[in-house]
Amino acid sequence: MMTVSSLFKDTEKFKNIIEIFAVKGYHPATMDEIARATGVAKGTLYYHYKNKEDLYYSVIEYGVHILERSVRQALQNQTDPALKLKELIREVLNFFDLYSNIAFIFLRELYGNNIRRDVLSGLVQRIIQIIGEILAEGKEQGIFTVKDVDTCATAVFGAVSATAIRSINKHGRVRSVQVQSHIENLVFNGLLAE
Amino acid sequence: MMTVSSLFKDTEKFKNIIEIFAVKGYHPATMDEIARATGVAKGTLYYHYKNKEDLYYSVIEYGVHILERSVRQALQNQTDPALKLKELIREVLNFFDLYSNIAFIFLRELYGNNIRRDVLSGLVQRIIQIIGEILAEGKEQGIFTVKDVDTCATAVFGAVSATAIRSINKHGRVRSVQVQSHIENLVFNGLLAE
Amino acid sequence: MMTVSSLFKDTEKFKNIIEIFAVKGYHPATMDEIARATGVAKGTLYYHYKNKEDLYYSVIEYGVHILERSVRQALQNQTDPALKLKELIREVLNFFDLYSNIAFIFLRELYGNNIRRDVLSGLVQRIIQIIGEILAEGKEQGIFTVKDVDTCATAVFGAVSATAIRSINKHGRVRSVQVQSHIENLVFNGLLAE
Amino acid sequence: MMTVSSLFKDTEKFKNIIEIFAVKGYHPATMDEIARATGVAKGTLYYHYKNKEDLYYSVIEYGVHILERSVRQALQNQTDPALKLKELIREVLNFFDLYSNIAFIFLRELYGNNIRRDVLSGLVQRIIQIIGEILAEGKEQGIFTVKDVDTCATAVFGAVSATAIRSINKHGRVRSVQVQSHIENLVFNGLLAE
DNA sequence: CATGAATGAGTGTTCATTCAT
DNA sequence: CATGAATGAACACTCATTCAT
């Protein structure tokens, strides 16, 4: 269950805010600009959020919520860990394609020190945890050979994210299908030929 | 060959500047603070660098230079692509351990939009290119099965970086040995058991 | 006769508002805060008072009204100017003890330039006028030796107020009995021995 | 010894700042306005003072310093407590005439709650302490009949200040000579006729 | 009568940059 | 070469006030 401030009921407003934070980054994005983009007065922003940081946090939280929900949904119908992982990779790439702006924000927070490092990167970690759960399950069933589940989950997320961003930078969007096939190849079979 | 502004002759000063940018991020880091940390007057900073952006760029460039040099050096003695890749991973993890502050800066710039996105992320891409060269070589020799060299290189770099950061976050430094073995396992053999 | 807005029927609310204005001062006190302290919505405040200034004015007016009334009441039974003055000093000190918060507001307005200087300090002047009346009476009867009645009345009020505030600052409240005896001594006999 | 920020070397600037704070009060006075009045950029204000509060504090401290110095100077040549007190009253009234703006600030801080109540009113208390010293001396020599020295000193200062302010309000400036004679009369002989 | 969401003008404060010395 | 005082544009944030319900 997730309560979203009334200001975000309007998805359009939400997307506009995301875009500003994503394109310019946290600090260069100004509250004036955000107010203009959302069509409300600056004071209204402060009526709903304690401060800029709080607004930023809410945006990220909402983004994580969306991604997490769609991933969990996609996993529901799968029982095989390998298929689960494929689904997850597909969903993440899909999300990054749909909300490419948020992808940048996520990664910047994961590696960044913008604000409230702990909390924000913690949010993003939730996605990595889901990967970890799948890996653990697969390891138990003897399908995956994984030494350290957490490290491996992180590596998989790092690989997916980096390639997604690369695709966006190169083609303007995430070419999910191609990227997915390349990633799966690497992740499942590794580099070594037979 | 790399000319470093006379201000950086003193490695100590350089490290101090890196730390400030790494810990606080580009925007929150102030010129006052940097001047204080380096023990020179603020005006002196502007005597050596056109502006804050230029100073930041120089720091990153110098960092990339160090990493690139040590990687190239490590690869010199290797001919086998697989061993080359192992060496590279080891060197990158080593570098991230030695200069963990710079690691954060690199990744933030790779994914970030701080300033001069193109130039800065371009700098970091140079490391990815080296990975690409190795993969291409290994593919040619039939050792690696790689569909898209660039995507795969990016994925490998993403995997290595993400786990390195994770190790820093968790243990305060990069536990190179453990991380390396896990990464190699994933990258070379993939997840699937036999 | 004094009509108090219906909002002040509840003395508790009134005291809460006084306290906020007294402790924080006019500008730092916010309407939000006042609304919260009185348990009504902010809009309700504006329903009863034209604006913040008007609310503040009403508070002071009400305070002056209380003090003036109790002073006049105490003077009713006295005919001797000297006794009258003693009674007045006692009442003022009493009032400052009972409503120490309002004491601060009074003095600040007397010497201050907050808002509507003329009107507000004029309100407080009413108390000084009463002192003046007593002095004039005593002068006429040959009991008091006063050159300039107004100046002297002001001096007496200044002496009483300053010592009252000092007592509050030092002991947390006005120690009426002690302060009164000291003040009377000074005011009636002066400093000079014999 | 008193070090005054370089910005106050220029007495004109100092007087301008005082006037703004005195006429408008702490909160309504804006840094923009002060910058304009002193002919420096707003940033320059912040280069010399940590913030508005610090600037305000410095102004008051400087004022207290001036008053204290001129009072101490005037007392040097006097040995008789009664004459000392007369000199002090004259100096204070003189100061209030010369720097009538500062008089308002002093009293507002003495009774007010603007900012840093403790520190600022403490500053003003220094003047009251000097009065106390004189009273104590006179008491010891059997010249003054004073029960509580501190209370009495406060009362005297209150009487002087209130009448000074009254004179300013009424005549636009402190008519030192007249006010002094009235005050002395009250303070030394009291109200009672023979 | 009462509410509280929305407003936007106003203000304190920061900080990269300049330049006279 | 180096300095640090001075600058002013830019920004986050506040809060008295309004008004539709």
Side-chain angles (χ1 to χ4, degrees), chain B residues 89-104:
Chain B
I89 292 174
R90 193 227 299 275
E91 278 310 317
V92 171
L93 289 174
N94 242 342
F95 176 80
F96 279 6
D97 189 23
L98 230 59
Y99 296 87
S100 64
N101 280 329
I102 256 192
F104 281 101

mmCIF file of all heavy atoms in Angstrom, chain B residues 89-104:
data_model
loop_
_atom_site.group_PDB
_atom_site.id
_atom_site.type_symbol
_atom_site.label_atom_id
_atom_site.label_comp_id
_atom_site.label_asym_id
_atom_site.label_seq_id
_atom_site.Cartn_x
_atom_site.Cartn_y
_atom_site.Cartn_z
ATOM 1 N N ILE B 89 40.093 -6.801 -14.337
ATOM 2 C CA ILE B 89 39.144 -6.759 -13.212
ATOM 3 C C ILE B 89 39.892 -6.529 -11.912
ATOM 4 O O ILE B 89 39.506 -5.711 -11.083
ATOM 5 C CB ILE B 89 38.327 -8.072 -13.153
ATOM 6 C CG1 ILE B 89 37.391 -8.154 -14.355
ATOM 7 C CG2 ILE B 89 37.533 -8.141 -11.843
ATOM 8 C CD1 ILE B 89 36.633 -9.468 -14.471
ATOM 9 N N ARG B 90 40.998 -7.223 -11.767
ATOM 10 C CA ARG B 90 41.787 -7.068 -10.561
ATOM 11 C C ARG B 90 42.280 -5.625 -10.403
ATOM 12 O O ARG B 90 42.178 -5.024 -9.329
ATOM 13 C CB ARG B 90 42.994 -8.017 -10.592
ATOM 14 C CG ARG B 90 43.665 -8.119 -9.207
ATOM 15 C CD ARG B 90 45.180 -7.986 -9.269
ATOM 16 N NE ARG B 90 45.838 -9.010 -10.070
ATOM 17 C CZ ARG B 90 46.177 -10.226 -9.603
ATOM 18 N NH1 ARG B 90 45.875 -10.552 -8.377
ATOM 19 N NH2 ARG B 90 46.809 -11.074 -10.383
ATOM 20 N N GLU B 91 42.773 -5.085 -11.502
ATOM 21 C CA GLU B 91 43.295 -3.723 -11.451
ATOM 22 C C GLU B 91 42.200 -2.700 -11.127
ATOM 23 O O GLU B 91 42.393 -1.781 -10.351
ATOM 24 C CB GLU B 91 43.956 -3.323 -12.784
ATOM 25 C CG GLU B 91 45.388 -3.802 -12.944
ATOM 26 C CD GLU B 91 46.244 -3.457 -11.740
ATOM 27 O OE1 GLU B 91 46.136 -2.324 -11.215
ATOM 28 O OE2 GLU B 91 47.018 -4.329 -11.296
ATOM 29 N N VAL B 92 41.065 -2.868 -11.755
ATOM 30 C CA VAL B 92 39.963 -1.929 -11.511
ATOM 31 C C VAL B 92 39.543 -2.009 -10.043
ATOM 32 O O VAL B 92 39.359 -0.981 -9.384
ATOM 33 C CB VAL B 92 38.761 -2.218 -12.437
ATOM 34 C CG1 VAL B 92 37.561 -1.379 -12.027
ATOM 35 C CG2 VAL B 92 39.138 -1.924 -13.882
ATOM 36 N N LEU B 93 39.401 -3.214 -9.531
ATOM 37 C CA LEU B 93 39.016 -3.361 -8.124
ATOM 38 C C LEU B 93 40.081 -2.767 -7.221
ATOM 39 O O LEU B 93 39.765 -2.096 -6.235
ATOM 40 C CB LEU B 93 38.802 -4.845 -7.794
ATOM 41 C CG LEU B 93 37.554 -5.473 -8.422
ATOM 42 C CD1 LEU B 93 37.518 -6.973 -8.164
ATOM 43 C CD2 LEU B 93 36.291 -4.814 -7.872
ATOM 44 N N ASN B 94 41.327 -3.003 -7.581
ATOM 45 C CA ASN B 94 42.434 -2.445 -6.827
ATOM 46 C C ASN B 94 42.355 -0.917 -6.789
ATOM 47 O O ASN B 94 42.503 -0.300 -5.743
ATOM 48 C CB ASN B 94 43.751 -2.825 -7.500
ATOM 49 C CG ASN B 94 44.589 -3.680 -6.568
ATOM 50 O OD1 ASN B 94 44.341 -3.703 -5.364
ATOM 51 N ND2 ASN B 94 45.553 -4.379 -7.134
ATOM 52 N N PHE B 95 42.150 -0.378 -7.954
ATOM 53 C CA PHE B 95 42.055 1.081 -8.075
ATOM 54 C C PHE B 95 40.893 1.619 -7.228
ATOM 55 O O PHE B 95 41.022 2.609 -6.518
ATOM 56 C CB PHE B 95 41.863 1.465 -9.537
ATOM 57 C CG PHE B 95 41.649 2.929 -9.756
ATOM 58 C CD1 PHE B 95 42.720 3.821 -9.761
ATOM 59 C CD2 PHE B 95 40.368 3.436 -9.970
ATOM 60 C CE1 PHE B 95 42.523 5.179 -9.964
ATOM 61 C CE2 PHE B 95 40.163 4.786 -10.171
ATOM 62 C CZ PHE B 95 41.244 5.665 -10.167
ATOM 63 N N PHE B 96 39.771 0.960 -7.330
ATOM 64 C CA PHE B 96 38.598 1.380 -6.546
ATOM 65 C C PHE B 96 38.881 1.268 -5.049
ATOM 66 O O PHE B 96 38.318 1.996 -4.241
ATOM 67 C CB PHE B 96 37.374 0.543 -6.920
ATOM 68 C CG PHE B 96 36.700 1.025 -8.179
ATOM 69 C CD1 PHE B 96 37.261 2.044 -8.945
ATOM 70 C CD2 PHE B 96 35.499 0.471 -8.614
ATOM 71 C CE1 PHE B 96 36.635 2.488 -10.107
ATOM 72 C CE2 PHE B 96 34.871 0.927 -9.751
ATOM 73 C CZ PHE B 96 35.435 1.931 -10.506
ATOM 74 N N ASP B 97 39.731 0.320 -4.691
ATOM 75 C CA ASP B 97 40.079 0.187 -3.289
ATOM 76 C C ASP B 97 41.010 1.321 -2.863
ATOM 77 O O ASP B 97 40.800 1.962 -1.835
ATOM 78 C CB ASP B 97 40.761 -1.170 -3.061
ATOM 79 C CG ASP B 97 40.940 -1.450 -1.573
ATOM 80 O OD1 ASP B 97 40.190 -0.858 -0.764
ATOM 81 O OD2 ASP B 97 41.825 -2.244 -1.222
ATOM 82 N N LEU B 98 42.001 1.569 -3.710
ATOM 83 C CA LEU B 98 42.998 2.592 -3.408
ATOM 84 C C LEU B 98 42.372 3.977 -3.458
ATOM 85 O O LEU B 98 42.641 4.832 -2.618
ATOM 86 C CB LEU B 98 44.120 2.504 -4.437
ATOM 87 C CG LEU B 98 45.543 2.458 -3.886
ATOM 88 C CD1 LEU B 98 45.703 1.257 -2.958
ATOM 89 C CD2 LEU B 98 46.550 2.389 -5.038
ATOM 90 N N TYR B 99 41.585 4.203 -4.467
ATOM 91 C CA TYR B 99 40.971 5.518 -4.665
ATOM 92 C C TYR B 99 39.459 5.399 -4.601
ATOM 93 O O TYR B 99 38.780 5.753 -5.555
ATOM 94 C CB TYR B 99 41.369 6.103 -6.026
ATOM 95 C CG TYR B 99 42.826 6.384 -6.187
ATOM 96 C CD1 TYR B 99 43.689 5.393 -6.641
ATOM 97 C CD2 TYR B 99 43.356 7.642 -5.915
ATOM 98 C CE1 TYR B 99 45.051 5.643 -6.813
ATOM 99 C CE2 TYR B 99 44.704 7.904 -6.079
ATOM 100 C CZ TYR B 99 45.545 6.908 -6.530
ATOM 101 O OH TYR B 99 46.877 7.164 -6.701
ATOM 102 N N SER B 100 38.964 4.900 -3.499
ATOM 103 C CA SER B 100 37.521 4.634 -3.459
ATOM 104 C C SER B 100 36.725 5.910 -3.697
ATOM 105 O O SER B 100 35.637 5.885 -4.275
ATOM 106 C CB SER B 100 37.138 3.998 -2.131
ATOM 107 O OG SER B 100 37.395 4.897 -1.076
ATOM 108 N N ASN B 101 37.288 7.027 -3.293
ATOM 109 C CA ASN B 101 36.570 8.279 -3.534
ATOM 110 C C ASN B 101 36.356 8.526 -5.018
ATOM 111 O O ASN B 101 35.290 8.943 -5.450
ATOM 112 C CB ASN B 101 37.369 9.448 -2.937
ATOM 113 C CG ASN B 101 37.153 9.551 -1.447
ATOM 114 O OD1 ASN B 101 36.078 9.216 -0.967
ATOM 115 N ND2 ASN B 101 38.169 9.982 -0.726
ATOM 116 N N ILE B 102 37.394 8.250 -5.770
ATOM 117 C CA ILE B 102 37.284 8.486 -7.207
ATOM 118 C C ILE B 102 36.288 7.531 -7.846
ATOM 119 O O ILE B 102 35.629 7.861 -8.828
ATOM 120 C CB ILE B 102 38.681 8.394 -7.860
ATOM 121 C CG1 ILE B 102 39.157 9.817 -8.171
ATOM 122 C CG2 ILE B 102 38.647 7.585 -9.126
ATOM 123 C CD1 ILE B 102 40.370 9.893 -9.051
ATOM 124 N N ALA B 103 36.169 6.357 -7.288
ATOM 125 C CA ALA B 103 35.230 5.398 -7.836
ATOM 126 C C ALA B 103 33.825 5.998 -7.856
ATOM 127 O O ALA B 103 33.109 5.935 -8.862
ATOM 128 C CB ALA B 103 35.235 4.124 -7.004
ATOM 129 N N PHE B 104 33.470 6.631 -6.749
ATOM 130 C CA PHE B 104 32.135 7.238 -6.689
ATOM 131 C C PHE B 104 31.991 8.324 -7.745
ATOM 132 O O PHE B 104 30.965 8.427 -8.420
ATOM 133 C CB PHE B 104 31.888 7.817 -5.300
ATOM 134 C CG PHE B 104 31.523 6.791 -4.290
ATOM 135 C CD1 PHE B 104 32.451 6.314 -3.378
ATOM 136 C CD2 PHE B 104 30.239 6.269 -4.254
ATOM 137 C CE1 PHE B 104 32.109 5.349 -2.451
ATOM 138 C CE2 PHE B 104 29.889 5.302 -3.322
ATOM 139 C CZ PHE B 104 30.837 4.840 -2.420
#
